[in-house]
Amino acid sequence: TFRVWVSAALTDPPEVWLYKDSYIDLAGGEFTMDLLPASHVTNLLRGDVGRGRANFLRHFSTSCFASYLGEDTYNQRILPQVRDILVATYRALAHTPSS
């Protein structure tokens, strides 16, 4: 899960400011359809330290993640996709749905 913080105004056009610091929440193991807490990044682990969250590091700052991937990879591939998703989301929210 890529957790980002934004400040947004639903003006026309929408304005969105992406905070530089956020965090990545990674699973502690390979994904499986079984409800193994280590393989999921859902709310399965909230409030239950005995099921995985306390057993391995899962949260990484975006700066740590960028260092791991390489600054160029993060800045040229990941961050532009995050921005594109935010722009598309807030543009969609700015228009009322028609029936």
Side-chain angles (χ1 to χ4, degrees):
T1 306
F2 202 148
R3 306 280 175 115
V4 296
W5 287 273
V6 299
S7 179
L10 292 178
T11 55
D12 189 17
E15 296 179 17
V16 181
W17 189 79
L18 175 63
Y19 286 84
K20 180 180 178 182
D21 299 319
S22 4
Y23 72 93
I24 311 297
D25 184 6
L26 300 174
E30 186 175 334
F31 177 78
T32 174
M33 293 299 287
D34 297 329
L35 292 180
L36 300 174
S39 69
H40 293 267
V41 290
T42 64
N43 290 334
L44 283 175
L45 301 177
R46 301 293 187 242
D48 190 351
V49 296
R51 290 182 45 188
R53 184 172 296 270
N55 299 327
F56 46 82
L57 181 61
R58 293 188 33 183
H59 295 118
F60 300 90
S61 67
T62 48
S63 59
C64 180
F65 189 60
S67 292
Y68 171 75
L69 291 177
E71 296 290 333
D72 288 343
T73 298
Y74 180 78
N75 290 322
Q76 295 174 13
R77 298 188 67 187
I78 304 296
L79 197 53
Q81 291 180 58
V82 171
R83 288 182 179 136
D84 290 346
I85 291 166
L86 288 170
V87 167
T89 300
Y90 281 95
R91 280 189 180 152
L93 288 171
H95 302 292
T96 55
S98 58
S99 53

